[in-house]
Each structure stands twice: as structure tokens, then as C-alpha cells.
Amino acid sequence: MLGKLFKYEFRAVARTLVPLYLATLVLALVNGFATRFDNSFFTGLMIFALTAFGIAIFVVTIVLIIQRFWNNLLKDEGYLMFTLPVSPYELIASKLLSALIWIILGAVVGVASMLVWFIPLNLDALAELFRNFGQFVRELARYLSEVDISVYSAAIKLGIAMLLGMLTEIQMLYLSMAVGQLPAFSKHKAAASFVSFILINFICQKMTSLIANGVYDGIDYVVTPENFQHFMGVFGNMMDVSLNIGNLINLAALLLTFFATGWILKNKLNLE
């Protein structure tokens, strides 16, 4: 059932975002051709339009994430959604996964639009850029391996950190909206949701800062040319510990906010 919920949610958002993605890629291609001609007005207009579409994708994605949760689960549509033979946790999970994928797709479209922009300018230069980037990664991996740092392991952990960070932030939005619809805030739901989001983020940031201060407390390292290689090893270990701790914190925050949101929707639901 989770798969069907996700499919429904994904398609609902796609109707708005996919046309924006296609328009952005087309504008990027037009921009690439425009910059080959000596027409500063048209080029400036195309750059402005592309920038506007990029900002629109970001804003619309955030608005849809909020709107889909608020309207589907906390307003009149909630009467229908909560009659389905699924748990509140499945409803939340479907929206959470859909939101994550659309955020990632938005980032991919942003990168793709930059590449599409350069294709009409110089395809050979773009191919050379990819070759040089690959060589850079190999050289970086070789150098870091000399100080016992695995660039691939660090990249995987960093990727996990980014995914957990995005999921946690989205789930904080959901929890704040769920808190805002509690009976105690029935007359000021939007305001209560906004304040809840600020407080939840503040508490999480404070806890993260306290843990980080505990990890790095007492570390005082002066870098010199003689001890630079040793410093890189120490720095690599610190980064590895930071990523591990950060991922555990984000995972704990994600689970806590996820189940807290589900508990509120299951036991304290106050539909409009």
C-alpha cells in the first residue's frame, strides 16, 4: 500500500514540477545558443529567465511539500485520507519519500541545465572538463590514501549525511504542522506551526552544537609544512568521526520526528 500511496503522491507533484523542469532545460539550451551571438539584450533576458525558473523550482518544490501535507492530511481531504486502510506512518512516509526525490530531481535539473547551457558553446570543452574532473578525483584519492583517508568512503558517508539531513528537515516541517493542528492551537494553526518549526530546529541545532563541542574539545593543532601530512591524517579522522556522529544524530532526529508526527496524527488529529 505504501507503494500505491507514493505513486499517487509522486504523480500529483509531477503535474506541477515536470513542466518547470522541461522549461528550465529548454531555456538553458536557448541560453547556450544566445551567448554565441552578439546580442547582449537577448542574452541578458535569457539569463534572467533561466535564473527566475531556477528560483521558481526551488520555491514551488518547498511550497508543494508543505501544501501536500497540510491539505491532504490536516484539512478536509484528511477525512478521506484517514479512511484508507493504511496507518498514519505510511501516509507520512509516502509524502516524505516523494518530497526527497523531488528535491534531488530539482538539484539534478539544476546541474543538467548548466551542462545543457555549455553544450552549444563548446562540446569539446565540456568533454575535456569531465576528463579533467575524473583525473582530479583519481589524484585526490591517491593523495588522501597516503594519509589513510578513503575519498570514496568519505563521499558515501557525506552522501548519506546529505540524504539524512534533507529527510530530517522535511520531517521537521511535517512535525511542526502536526503540532500546529493540535486542539490547543485550533485558532492559530499556521502561527503555531511556524513557531514549532523554529523551536524544533533550534533544539536540534543546540544538541548538535553540544555534541560537536564535546568531540572537538581540547583539540589544538598548529599546522606547519613539516607536520602537514600528519595533520591531514588527524583531519581525516576528525571528519570521519564527525560524519558518523552527525549521521547518527540525524537518524535519531528523523526517527523521533517521524514517530512523533505519526503519533499526533493517530491520537490527536484535529481536522478542519
Side-chain angles (χ1 to χ4, degrees):
M1 192 62 181
L2 177 60
K4 292 181 179 179
L5 288 171
F6 170 77
K7 187 177 180 181
Y8 167 78
E9 185 68 22
F10 190 83
R11 286 182 173 178
V13 178
R15 287 195 290 268
T16 301
L17 288 182
V18 169
L20 276 176
Y21 289 169
L22 294 176
T24 301
L25 292 173
V26 170
L27 275 174
L29 187 61
V30 173
N31 243 317
F33 284 108
T35 51
R36 300 187 65 175
F37 300 99
D38 189 17
N39 190 327
S40 58
F41 174 77
F42 183 68
T43 300
L45 183 63
M46 287 297 99
I47 292 175
F48 174 79
L50 182 60
T51 303
F53 268 86
I55 295 173
I57 286 175
F58 174 78
V59 173
V60 170
T61 300
I62 300 300
V63 169
L64 283 174
I65 289 173
I66 296 172
Q67 186 183 58
R68 293 293 303 171
F69 187 87
W70 186 274
N71 289 342
N72 287 170
L73 301 183
L74 305 180
K75 296 187 75 174
D76 291 342
E77 293 180 28
Y79 288 106
L80 173 62
M81 296 299 291
F82 285 103
T83 59
L84 297 175
V86 295
S87 69
Y89 301 104
E90 289 180 283
L91 293 172
I92 298 167
S94 65
K95 294 187 179 299
L96 183 63
L97 292 175
S98 175
L100 175 66
I101 290 176
W102 283 114
I103 289 175
I104 294 174
L105 285 176
V108 170
V109 169
V111 174
S113 65
M114 296 301 296
L115 297 177
V116 169
W117 190 347
F118 283 106
I119 286 175
L121 293 176
N122 195 329
L123 190 58
D124 292 335
L126 188 62
E128 183 65 21
L129 176 65
F130 278 109
R131 285 194 294 270
N132 290 337
F133 180 75
Q135 181 63 26
F136 169 76
V137 172
R138 288 190 293 272
E139 288 296 322
L140 179 63
R142 182 187 62 79
Y143 173 76
L144 292 178
S145 66
E146 296 176 359
V147 291
D148 296 325
I149 300 176
S150 172
V151 67
Y152 302 108
S153 174
I156 291 171
K157 290 182 179 180
L158 184 60
I160 293 173
M162 293 174 66
L163 288 176
L164 284 175
M166 286 187 287
L167 284 170
T168 303
E169 202 65 30
I170 296 167
Q171 191 54 55
M172 286 181 184
L173 271 172
Y174 291 166
L175 177 58
S176 64
M177 285 187 277
V179 170
Q181 65 82 52
L182 289 171
F185 308 120
S186 58
K187 294 183 179 180
H188 306 284
K189 292 185 177 182
S193 297
F194 178 77
V195 173
S196 298
F197 181 72
I198 298 298
L199 289 176
I200 292 169
N201 269 276
F202 177 78
I203 292 170
C204 289
Q205 289 175 7
K206 277 295 182 182
M207 291 180 63
T208 303
S209 297
L210 288 173
I211 295 173
N213 290 337
V215 172
Y216 296 114
D217 186 39
I219 296 178
D220 187 11
Y221 203 99
V222 178
V223 182
T224 64
E226 291 76 19
N227 69 0
F228 180 75
Q229 188 168 3
H230 181 262
F231 165 76
M232 288 300 296
V234 173
F235 177 77
N237 289 331
M238 289 169 56
M239 289 300 298
D240 188 58
V241 171
S242 298
L243 284 173
N244 290 335
I245 293 176
N247 286 340
L248 287 174
I249 292 173
N250 276 331
L251 180 59
L254 174 61
L255 293 174
L256 180 62
T257 52
F258 177 81
F259 286 107
T261 306
W263 184 86
I264 291 174
L265 295 185
K266 184 177 180 179
N267 299 286
K268 301 291 182 178
L269 192 61
N270 179 35
L271 294 176
E272 293 184 2

mmCIF file of all heavy atoms in Angstrom, residues 3 29-30 52 116 122 126 133 136 145 161 177 189 195 217 239 252 254 260:
data_model
loop_
_atom_site.group_PDB
_atom_site.id
_atom_site.type_symbol
_atom_site.label_atom_id
_atom_site.label_comp_id
_atom_site.label_asym_id
_atom_site.label_seq_id
_atom_site.Cartn_x
_atom_site.Cartn_y
_atom_site.Cartn_z
ATOM 1 N N GLY A 3 3.573 1.675 -1.589
ATOM 2 C CA GLY A 3 3.954 1.934 -2.972
ATOM 3 C C GLY A 3 2.871 2.678 -3.733
ATOM 4 O O GLY A 3 3.156 3.593 -4.509
ATOM 5 N N LEU A 29 19.221 25.578 -22.891
ATOM 6 C CA LEU A 29 19.717 25.328 -24.241
ATOM 7 C C LEU A 29 19.658 26.597 -25.088
ATOM 8 O O LEU A 29 20.605 26.924 -25.813
ATOM 9 C CB LEU A 29 18.903 24.214 -24.888
ATOM 10 C CG LEU A 29 19.398 23.706 -26.252
ATOM 11 C CD1 LEU A 29 20.796 23.118 -26.127
ATOM 12 C CD2 LEU A 29 18.433 22.658 -26.803
ATOM 13 N N VAL A 30 18.536 27.326 -24.993
ATOM 14 C CA VAL A 30 18.404 28.600 -25.717
ATOM 15 C C VAL A 30 19.473 29.582 -25.245
ATOM 16 O O VAL A 30 20.055 30.322 -26.047
ATOM 17 C CB VAL A 30 16.995 29.190 -25.511
ATOM 18 C CG1 VAL A 30 16.906 30.595 -26.105
ATOM 19 C CG2 VAL A 30 15.942 28.285 -26.140
ATOM 20 N N ALA A 52 15.176 32.957 -13.043
ATOM 21 C CA ALA A 52 13.823 33.001 -12.477
ATOM 22 C C ALA A 52 13.223 31.601 -12.394
ATOM 23 O O ALA A 52 12.589 31.242 -11.396
ATOM 24 C CB ALA A 52 12.935 33.914 -13.316
ATOM 25 N N VAL A 116 23.683 21.699 -20.092
ATOM 26 C CA VAL A 116 22.983 21.967 -21.360
ATOM 27 C C VAL A 116 23.335 23.356 -21.872
ATOM 28 O O VAL A 116 23.471 23.589 -23.082
ATOM 29 C CB VAL A 116 21.457 21.833 -21.163
ATOM 30 C CG1 VAL A 116 20.695 22.366 -22.379
ATOM 31 C CG2 VAL A 116 21.081 20.377 -20.920
ATOM 32 N N ASN A 122 30.667 24.974 -26.487
ATOM 33 C CA ASN A 122 31.848 24.218 -26.855
ATOM 34 C C ASN A 122 31.722 22.804 -26.287
ATOM 35 O O ASN A 122 32.037 22.576 -25.118
ATOM 36 C CB ASN A 122 33.113 24.908 -26.319
ATOM 37 C CG ASN A 122 34.372 24.363 -26.968
ATOM 38 O OD1 ASN A 122 34.422 23.191 -27.331
ATOM 39 N ND2 ASN A 122 35.371 25.207 -27.113
ATOM 40 N N LEU A 126 33.453 20.856 -22.861
ATOM 41 C CA LEU A 126 32.670 20.162 -21.843
ATOM 42 C C LEU A 126 33.207 18.748 -21.627
ATOM 43 O O LEU A 126 33.324 18.282 -20.474
ATOM 44 C CB LEU A 126 31.199 20.104 -22.270
ATOM 45 C CG LEU A 126 30.208 19.567 -21.237
ATOM 46 C CD1 LEU A 126 30.180 20.459 -20.003
ATOM 47 C CD2 LEU A 126 28.810 19.473 -21.847
ATOM 48 N N PHE A 133 37.974 16.337 -14.552
ATOM 49 C CA PHE A 133 37.357 16.078 -13.253
ATOM 50 C C PHE A 133 37.637 14.648 -12.799
ATOM 51 O O PHE A 133 37.939 14.398 -11.628
ATOM 52 C CB PHE A 133 35.846 16.316 -13.329
ATOM 53 C CG PHE A 133 35.134 16.064 -12.025
ATOM 54 C CD1 PHE A 133 35.228 16.977 -10.982
ATOM 55 C CD2 PHE A 133 34.389 14.902 -11.836
ATOM 56 C CE1 PHE A 133 34.582 16.752 -9.772
ATOM 57 C CE2 PHE A 133 33.738 14.668 -10.625
ATOM 58 C CZ PHE A 133 33.840 15.597 -9.593
ATOM 59 N N PHE A 136 41.125 14.489 -11.649
ATOM 60 C CA PHE A 136 41.253 15.151 -10.348
ATOM 61 C C PHE A 136 40.811 14.225 -9.216
ATOM 62 O O PHE A 136 41.474 14.141 -8.175
ATOM 63 C CB PHE A 136 40.413 16.432 -10.345
ATOM 64 C CG PHE A 136 40.251 17.045 -8.982
ATOM 65 C CD1 PHE A 136 41.293 17.746 -8.392
ATOM 66 C CD2 PHE A 136 39.054 16.901 -8.276
ATOM 67 C CE1 PHE A 136 41.147 18.305 -7.126
ATOM 68 C CE2 PHE A 136 38.904 17.455 -7.015
ATOM 69 C CZ PHE A 136 39.957 18.162 -6.438
ATOM 70 N N SER A 145 44.832 8.648 0.139
ATOM 71 C CA SER A 145 45.112 7.280 0.594
ATOM 72 C C SER A 145 46.459 7.205 1.304
ATOM 73 O O SER A 145 46.675 6.326 2.150
ATOM 74 C CB SER A 145 45.083 6.311 -0.586
ATOM 75 O OG SER A 145 46.142 6.581 -1.493
ATOM 76 N N ALA A 161 24.896 11.605 4.760
ATOM 77 C CA ALA A 161 24.639 12.760 5.625
ATOM 78 C C ALA A 161 23.685 13.746 4.952
ATOM 79 O O ALA A 161 22.778 14.292 5.594
ATOM 80 C CB ALA A 161 25.947 13.456 5.979
ATOM 81 N N MET A 177 3.871 21.132 11.468
ATOM 82 C CA MET A 177 2.493 21.292 11.005
ATOM 83 C C MET A 177 1.529 20.440 11.826
ATOM 84 O O MET A 177 0.410 20.858 12.114
ATOM 85 C CB MET A 177 2.399 20.926 9.516
ATOM 86 C CG MET A 177 2.983 21.983 8.599
ATOM 87 S SD MET A 177 2.682 21.641 6.839
ATOM 88 C CE MET A 177 4.012 20.491 6.497
ATOM 89 N N LYS A 189 -3.430 27.911 13.883
ATOM 90 C CA LYS A 189 -2.702 26.738 13.408
ATOM 91 C C LYS A 189 -1.438 27.103 12.634
ATOM 92 O O LYS A 189 -0.369 26.531 12.862
ATOM 93 C CB LYS A 189 -3.621 25.872 12.545
ATOM 94 C CG LYS A 189 -4.742 25.210 13.329
ATOM 95 C CD LYS A 189 -5.544 24.276 12.452
ATOM 96 C CE LYS A 189 -6.615 23.555 13.254
ATOM 97 N NZ LYS A 189 -7.381 22.602 12.432
ATOM 98 N N VAL A 195 6.028 28.676 14.581
ATOM 99 C CA VAL A 195 6.793 28.763 15.834
ATOM 100 C C VAL A 195 7.365 27.398 16.196
ATOM 101 O O VAL A 195 8.513 27.283 16.641
ATOM 102 C CB VAL A 195 5.915 29.314 16.974
ATOM 103 C CG1 VAL A 195 6.664 29.240 18.305
ATOM 104 C CG2 VAL A 195 5.503 30.748 16.680
ATOM 105 N N ASP A 217 36.514 19.277 21.702
ATOM 106 C CA ASP A 217 37.053 19.957 22.882
ATOM 107 C C ASP A 217 38.499 19.521 23.147
ATOM 108 O O ASP A 217 38.809 18.329 23.172
ATOM 109 C CB ASP A 217 36.192 19.642 24.109
ATOM 110 C CG ASP A 217 36.638 20.437 25.321
ATOM 111 O OD1 ASP A 217 36.988 21.616 25.160
ATOM 112 O OD2 ASP A 217 36.650 19.866 26.430
ATOM 113 N N MET A 239 37.060 14.254 10.565
ATOM 114 C CA MET A 239 35.932 14.336 9.643
ATOM 115 C C MET A 239 35.133 13.038 9.649
ATOM 116 O O MET A 239 33.898 13.044 9.583
ATOM 117 C CB MET A 239 36.422 14.640 8.223
ATOM 118 C CG MET A 239 36.946 16.051 8.046
ATOM 119 S SD MET A 239 35.689 17.304 8.422
ATOM 120 C CE MET A 239 34.450 16.932 7.188
ATOM 121 N N ALA A 252 18.593 9.723 14.453
ATOM 122 C CA ALA A 252 17.790 9.760 15.679
ATOM 123 C C ALA A 252 16.716 10.840 15.586
ATOM 124 O O ALA A 252 15.551 10.614 15.955
ATOM 125 C CB ALA A 252 18.689 10.009 16.885
ATOM 126 N N LEU A 254 15.439 12.086 12.838
ATOM 127 C CA LEU A 254 14.466 11.675 11.817
ATOM 128 C C LEU A 254 13.450 10.698 12.398
ATOM 129 O O LEU A 254 12.237 10.862 12.214
ATOM 130 C CB LEU A 254 15.204 11.036 10.638
ATOM 131 C CG LEU A 254 14.323 10.413 9.541
ATOM 132 C CD1 LEU A 254 13.434 11.461 8.903
ATOM 133 C CD2 LEU A 254 15.191 9.721 8.497
ATOM 134 N N ALA A 260 6.845 10.884 16.199
ATOM 135 C CA ALA A 260 6.069 11.897 16.919
ATOM 136 C C ALA A 260 4.949 12.432 16.028
ATOM 137 O O ALA A 260 3.807 12.619 16.480
ATOM 138 C CB ALA A 260 6.982 13.039 17.362
#
